[in-house]
Amino acid sequence: RQLEQEIRLLKKSISLARKSVSQQKKLLEIAKVKLANGTITREEYLRYEDGLADAKARFYKAEAQLWQDKTQLAVIYGNDLRRIVK
């Protein structure tokens, strides 16, 4: 029961993390233009690069945790993992 609840929460987290990655990509594009125009420093630009990397890391971590929980649930219920993965 706890795993099922965690899976639901992870699905929401993944959705939010995906949006965060998208927003960070947009911010990075804006930062590239600002860097080219000289309105921000390279250090400030690299903060946007770092923000995108952090957002992607959170997304992939949540996805990995979701698959780990699904696998645990499959083992508990005795399901065929190949069917779940498909």
Side-chain angles (χ1 to χ4, degrees):
R1 191 81 171 132
Q2 183 179 358
L3 275 176
E4 291 170 351
Q5 183 179 3
E6 187 172 328
I7 287 172
R8 281 192 299 274
L9 291 173
L10 281 169
K11 286 180 179 179
K12 290 178 185 177
S13 293
I14 288 171
S15 175
L16 291 173
R18 187 176 285 120
K19 288 178 186 176
S20 179
V21 168
S22 176
Q23 290 171 345
Q24 289 295 329
K25 284 180 181 179
K26 289 176 185 175
L27 288 173
L28 183 61
E29 289 300 315
I30 293 168
K32 283 181 185 178
V33 172
K34 289 180 130 191
L35 180 64
N37 291 338
T39 56
I40 63 171
T41 65
R42 180 158 300 278
E43 182 180 342
E44 290 170 316
Y45 171 77
L46 290 175
R47 286 189 202 124
Y48 289 99
E49 289 270 358
D50 191 45
L52 177 58
D54 285 343
K56 285 181 177 181
R58 286 190 300 272
F59 172 74
Y60 293 129
K61 182 179 179 182
E63 265 195 337
Q65 184 63 47
L66 176 65
W67 279 106
Q68 183 178 350
D69 287 356
K70 282 184 175 183
T71 303
Q72 286 179 335
L73 203 57
V75 169
I76 290 170
Y77 290 136
N79 292 336
D80 181 16
L81 289 177
R82 285 174 286 208
R83 194 186 95 248
I84 291 173
V85 170
K86 286 182 182 177

